Amino acid sequence: VDVLMAIRERRSIRKYTDQPVPKELLETLLDAARWAPTASNQQRWRFLVVTNRPTRELIRKCSPGIFVGPPVYVVVCAEEIPNAGEWDRKTYLADCSVAAQNMMLAAHALGLGSCVILSYSPTAIQEILDLPESIRPVLVVTLGYPAEDPEPPARRALQEIVFEEEYGREWLK
Ligand SMILES: Cc1cc2nc3c(=O)[nH]c(=O)nc-3n(C[C@H](O)[C@H](O)[C@H](O)COP(=O)(O)O)c2cc1C
């Protein structure tokens, strides 16, 4: 799949079939995540792949942003440095977000659906997955074979969001 097509066609999928996702496909997604850029190439993301049903059920219960349980969760975490400050946390958020987008575009290219989830409880996930103190959940990506084909939600026009040289000056082609 062409990358521009994948960017346009990817949708957030919130309904999945029960079909399990082969491990090789998950590996392809995780490899795509690994090739994402990170601040100073620190690569502090850690990816927890959860397919086990009881754990998935627990994750869904503590995540108001997840309506229907998917067959796979990838919990994208950051391995925090000791005494991590605001700057470090900012880089973890950016690094994990960029990796998640790589994963979701790769998922789309492989015929899978995905959705990034921020409405979840990091403290509950920390406990459910028995994560060490230094491993902090940043966001969750749901994955599986799509059971819906949503219409693309509208996007703002470029003229509304792009400016030329100074804020407010229209960007003209
Ligand atoms: C940072 C972030 C957090 C999100 N959190 C949730 C969430 O908790 N639950 C959910 O169903 N979708 C979530 N989404 C998906 C957005 O609702 C979705 O990307 C947006 O509506 C545009 O739809 P599209 O992805 O199909 O283009 C999140 C997206 C982003 C980027």
Side-chain angles (χ1 to χ4, degrees):
V1 178
D2 173 73
V3 69
L4 291 177
M5 286 265 286
I7 288 168
R8 283 294 288 268
E9 289 176 351
R10 179 213 55 81
R11 291 278 67 79
S12 289
I13 298 298
R14 300 181 178 91
K15 284 188 193 135
Y16 299 95
T17 70
D18 289 334
Q19 196 184 337
V21 180
K23 220 164 181 180
E24 307 82 74
L25 291 197
L26 293 177
E27 189 171 333
T28 305
L29 301 177
L30 294 160
D31 195 47
R34 188 169 69 98
W35 282 102
T38 56
S40 305
N41 198 24
Q42 288 213 29
Q43 306 175 51
R44 294 199 158 269
W45 12 240
R46 302 292 180 264
F47 303 92
L48 266 104
V49 182
V50 178
T51 55
N52 147 338
R53 185 179 289 276
T55 315
R56 283 191 284 140
E57 211 28 54
L58 286 173
I59 293 177
R60 195 183 62 79
K61 281 192 181 139
C62 72
S63 310
I66 299 171
F67 309 109
V68 183
V72 183
Y73 289 99
V74 178
V75 180
V76 185
C77 305
E79 189 201 40
E80 282 195 344
I81 57 166
N83 305 313
E86 195 191 338
W87 165 258
D88 302 296
R89 298 219 169 83
K90 236 189 236 181
T91 67
Y92 303 152
L93 179 58
D95 293 348
C96 291
S97 304
V98 174
Q101 179 71 350
N102 265 19
M103 223 181 333
M104 293 192 293
L105 291 176
H108 179 76
L110 296 167
L112 295 167
S114 66
C115 189
V116 58
I117 305 289
L118 219 53
S119 296
Y120 72 97
S121 161
T123 42
I125 295 249
Q126 194 99 21
E127 206 174 301
I128 292 164
L129 299 177
D130 197 19
L131 299 175
E133 268 291 286
S134 61
I135 303 297
R136 296 295 189 187
V138 175
L139 47 86
V140 174
V141 176
T142 62
L143 289 164
Y145 288 97
E148 63 169 348
D149 183 12
E151 286 296 315
R155 291 301 196 261
R156 292 181 191 273
L158 280 184
Q159 299 94 288
E160 249 184 90
I161 56 171
V162 182
F163 306 103
E164 183 141 15
E165 310 297 348
E166 64 184 65
Y167 188 81
R169 187 197 289 172
E170 200 179 339
W171 178 75
L172 296 169
K173 273 184 270 179

